[in-house]
Amino acid sequence: MILVLPPDLSAATLEQIQSRLEGLGCRLFLSSGEEQTVVSLSGDFDPLAVQAAAAEWPEADLIPLQSDRAYRFERRRRRFLAGLILSFGLLAAAALAIPVLDFLRPPEVRLELSGPARVVSVDRFPAGTARRLRFRGRTVMVAHDLGGRFFAVSGECTLADPCQLEWSEERQQFLCPCHGGVFDLLGNVLDGPANAPLLRYETAVVHGVLYVRPAL
Ligand code: FES
């Protein structure tokens, strides 16, 4: 705390105030200037008692600064909170970074772990076309759409296996020649008697090569 007093305070009044404060356990440091006299209070005093005393001196202005102990406590509290916020920030950043890094990681490792994958050279796979592959004993239709994305679905109709699907470049859809079933690039039924979507496969392009594997 500091006590700000007017500079023209009589010596007797100042002495009286000092004496009262010292009686309350305050250690005093006076600084007298032309505009004001500042009394810095330190020591293990009761701030409420000092406030009560200061209320009796209308010419005094008591500014409630923190005691050393309160200041140290507050400083420790703020450091603890800052550390806590930093820790949460790092944890949140890590939580965000993990899926991003997972997304950016080249898919070769996963492909290797998931077993052999059928390979197609992207250079020989024009946009808008599709091709039929044999993969793990099944027929797979792989399409390269006009937006440059690759899709892979089962090449066998879900209504009457093994009716083989055809690719319509004009419609950009898979057609079943047996009963007119129509499927989109994701294998969803668009038309016809088939009532189940096609089995989907995952695709990944790595260094210009298209890999296909069963969806996990
Ligand atoms: S077998 Fe595919 S719609 Fe009939």
Side-chain angles (χ1 to χ4, degrees):
M1 287 182 169
I2 61 173
L3 193 67
V4 181
L5 301 167
D8 56 352
L9 201 66
S10 69
T13 305
L14 183 59
E15 193 174 329
Q16 188 184 3
I17 291 173
Q18 282 183 262
S19 168
R20 180 77 183 279
L21 291 172
E22 286 170 346
L24 292 172
C26 299
R27 286 199 303 275
L28 308 179
F29 179 79
L30 259 69
S31 170
S32 298
E34 289 185 1
E35 296 185 357
Q36 58 195 15
T37 296
V38 176
V39 184
S40 298
L41 281 60
S42 61
D44 194 16
F45 59 86
D46 180 358
L48 293 179
V50 171
Q51 279 179 12
E56 299 171 13
W57 309 317
E59 64 274 52
D61 188 10
L62 184 67
I63 300 176
L65 300 181
Q66 292 173 320
S67 68
D68 285 354
R69 183 188 300 170
Y71 172 73
R72 283 197 298 272
F73 173 78
E74 181 66 13
R75 186 174 59 181
R76 281 201 303 272
R77 189 180 72 86
R78 291 190 181 196
R79 285 182 177 173
F80 173 74
L81 285 176
L84 207 60
I85 291 169
L86 181 64
S87 302
F88 276 118
L90 290 174
L91 279 175
L96 283 173
I98 286 170
V100 171
L101 291 175
D102 192 43
F103 174 77
L104 293 176
R105 185 194 304 154
E108 290 96 328
V109 175
R110 284 190 171 188
L111 288 167
E112 285 170 12
L113 290 175
S114 66
R118 181 72 188 218
V119 180
V120 179
S121 173
V122 172
D123 289 344
R124 298 198 299 274
F125 202 157
T129 66
R131 60 179 57 204
R132 191 186 313 276
L133 308 173
R134 288 297 292 174
F135 179 51
R136 295 185 181 179
R138 306 302 298 257
T139 303
V140 178
M141 293 294 285
V142 184
H144 185 186
D145 80 347
L146 298 173
R149 296 168 301 176
F150 290 93
F151 298 86
V153 294
S154 167
E156 295 154 359
C157 184
T158 49
L159 186 65
D161 184 41
C163 194
Q164 302 287 310
L165 299 177
E166 305 286 345
W167 169 247
S168 167
E169 190 167 336
E170 181 188 353
R171 297 169 60 169
Q172 295 286 295
Q173 292 168 343
F174 301 105
L175 309 179
C176 176
C178 301
H179 307 95
V182 181
F183 301 85
D184 67 11
L185 287 161
L186 295 171
N188 299 309
V189 180
L190 297 180
D191 200 3
N195 54 12
L198 301 171
L199 180 67
R200 289 181 59 182
Y201 291 76
E202 289 186 355
T203 62
V205 177
V206 182
H207 303 310
V209 174
L210 174 65
Y211 291 80
V212 176
R213 69 170 180 177
L216 296 176

